[in-house]
Amino acid sequence: MAPWHWRGLAAATVAALVLTWAGAAAAAQETRPQGIGPVPPEPTGILVNVPARTLYWYEDGELIRSFPVGVGTASTQTPSGRYRVETMAVDPWWLPPSGGPPVLPGPSNPLGTRWIGFRGGYGIHGNNNPASVGGVVSLGCVRMYGPDVEWLYEQVQIGTPVTVIYEPVLIEYGPGGRRHLAVYPDVYGKGRPEPAQLLAELGLPADTVEVTGPGHYLLDVTADLSGRPLKAVMHRSRPYIEARPVAEQLHASLRWDAGQVWLDGKAVPAAVRDGVLYMDAEMAARLLGAAYRWQEERGHFSLQGVPIYLNGRVISRRAVGAGRHVLVPLQEVAEQVGARVEWEAAGSLARVGGHSVPVIQLDGTAYTPAAALGESLNLRVYTTAGAVAFGYP
């Protein structure tokens, strides 16, 4: 029997398949991520949220950049309100509030190299103590890192809107309008709304997220199964996917009972939203042997899997479509038929049943075209868009 050849499995197609499928729960992050912020009160201007210790710069309603800042202490609070830039200065002098001689520009000046005043003696400025940025430390002013305030200084002018808010819990928006529940410390002890209250205003159930501390909790998520879009929701801070289409496409039995989905007799946590049954996407993928990939920056996750049959029995769901070909996990299928795999040519070829087959590494697993493996093992091979089946002659 002649060795099986690639028959049009182009290098570009193979390269496009080399993906890292990584499972990760969508949890809160104690960061100040770029691109996520509150709805601005002004299309263009500065917004400061004191509990977040973050300054946001908007242009035409779009969040351009956000910066960590230091804010006033509980006894010398940064004043909330809507203001405008009143004064601006490069290399400002500092007049100590307690009196004493003015401090000239230089390394010992606590205002740094820029001053943007927005209400009397309150302003946004640099500082000579970078470690204080991000803290509740000032006499009421907003402290920034030197390069950050120098960048901001070039964007503003006298009259630019400056809004200071005190919102420990609020809804923030990211790219594509994705919503996040943002939770920050109540640094001034003013109290904060219950997250469930804000979720209810959005028409979301309280169990959409589990608030475990400060951070950003994703509320909107999208999903696909082998490229086919499916409904998805967040439930207890984890992405859930519509259950029935997954079971149908991956040829799994499905049963709903006592708050759980049973896939091929294995339990998966489930939830019902608006009459639609959802299940934990990562757990379902793991139990069914499908690949799972979470793309946090997009708020999107993918399941990838095509069932593999041997004499009418599902032995795997890890087949992958590649143009006109279907790739199957070599070792997994070979073991099911009792065949030995011998590696050749630094892993780019393998011998199975005495014949060479090409090998493609996908996320650390060796795959080979189903037709090549069937030919080497003298098995009949049937492939469709939704499954691949091996059978004995």
Side-chain angles (χ1 to χ4, degrees):
M1 185 182 298
W4 194 88
H5 297 288
W6 286 95
R7 297 173 183 166
L9 187 57
T13 302
V14 176
L17 287 168
V18 183
L19 301 174
T20 300
W21 292 85
Q29 300 179 0
E30 280 202 55
T31 60
R32 297 175 180 86
Q34 291 292 323
I36 301 176
V39 175
E42 300 279 354
T44 298
I46 294 169
L47 172 64
V48 176
N49 186 7
V50 172
R53 285 96 72 212
T54 302
L55 180 149
Y56 307 89
W57 170 251
Y58 294 88
E59 292 180 6
D60 298 323
E62 179 182 356
L63 176 58
I64 303 302
R65 291 185 66 179
S66 58
F67 307 94
V69 297
V71 295
T73 67
S75 59
T76 57
Q77 299 181 7
T78 300
S80 299
R82 301 183 68 167
Y83 312 104
R84 293 189 177 273
V85 173
E86 298 177 347
T87 57
M88 299 177 64
V90 176
D91 294 328
W93 290 30
W94 180 58
L95 301 177
S98 58
V103 178
L104 300 179
S108 61
N109 190 312
L111 300 183
T113 62
R114 299 292 187 274
W115 167 268
I116 303 171
F118 60 85
R119 177 192 162 186
Y122 294 99
I124 301 164
H125 59 78
N127 72 95
N128 61 350
N129 180 16
S132 68
V133 173
V136 185
V137 293
S138 77
L139 296 176
C141 287
V142 177
R143 298 183 184 180
M144 300 183 71
Y145 291 120
D148 292 349
V149 73
E150 290 174 4
W151 181 91
L152 182 66
Y153 191 90
E154 298 302 317
Q155 317 307 312
V156 305
Q157 58 187 354
I158 301 299
T160 295
V162 178
T163 304
V164 180
I165 61 175
Y166 189 91
E167 297 287 352
V169 180
L170 74 166
I171 302 300
E172 296 186 352
Y173 295 82
R178 286 186 296 278
R179 298 170 296 182
H180 297 74
L181 176 69
V183 179
Y184 302 105
D186 182 13
V187 293
Y188 292 165
K190 294 183 176 182
R192 59 189 184 189
E194 288 296 325
Q197 175 185 336
L198 295 183
L199 295 177
E201 293 173 2
L202 297 176
L204 297 174
D207 61 7
T208 298
V209 296
E210 286 187 344
V211 177
T212 56
H216 287 77
Y217 296 82
L218 181 65
L219 301 178
D220 298 314
V221 65
T222 56
D224 72 83
L225 174 58
S226 298
R228 173 190 173 190
L230 290 184
K231 294 180 180 178
V233 297
M234 295 300 294
H235 178 68
R236 296 179 178 173
S237 298
R238 291 182 62 84
Y240 275 45
I241 194 168
E242 189 177 0
R244 297 189 187 282
V246 173
E248 291 172 359
Q249 189 164 330
L250 296 183
H251 300 192
S253 65
L254 173 68
R255 182 167 59 91
W256 159 247
D257 181 45
Q260 287 187 321
V261 160
W262 297 82
L263 291 173
D264 288 347
K266 301 172 183 176
V268 182
V272 176
R273 299 276 182 85
D274 299 323
V276 177
L277 179 62
Y278 294 89
M279 61 184 174
D280 187 297
E282 185 180 5
M283 290 187 64
R286 185 170 63 249
L287 290 177
L288 293 176
Y292 175 84
R293 186 186 188 196
W294 170 245
Q295 297 173 289
E296 185 176 3
E297 70 283 357
R298 294 177 53 201
H300 181 87
F301 65 89
S302 298
L303 274 67
Q304 175 78 36
V306 176
I308 304 170
Y309 284 84
L310 176 62
N311 289 335
R313 177 175 61 91
V314 175
I315 60 172
S316 173
R317 293 184 174 87
R318 298 177 64 197
V320 177
R324 295 184 296 109
H325 301 276
V326 177
L327 307 180
V328 297
L330 175 56
Q331 191 75 43
E332 191 171 355
V333 177
E335 288 177 356
Q336 291 290 329
V337 297
R340 180 181 177 184
V341 177
E342 299 176 343
W343 304 101
E344 300 180 354
S348 62
L349 291 174
R351 290 185 66 82
V352 184
H355 301 281
S356 292
V357 295
V359 173
I360 304 164
Q361 295 291 333
L362 297 180
D363 193 26
T365 299
Y367 279 77
T368 192
L373 187 58
E375 185 175 337
S376 297
L377 295 174
N378 195 28
L379 295 173
R380 295 193 307 267
V381 182
Y382 302 93
T383 60
T384 68
V388 55
F390 293 96
Y392 293 106

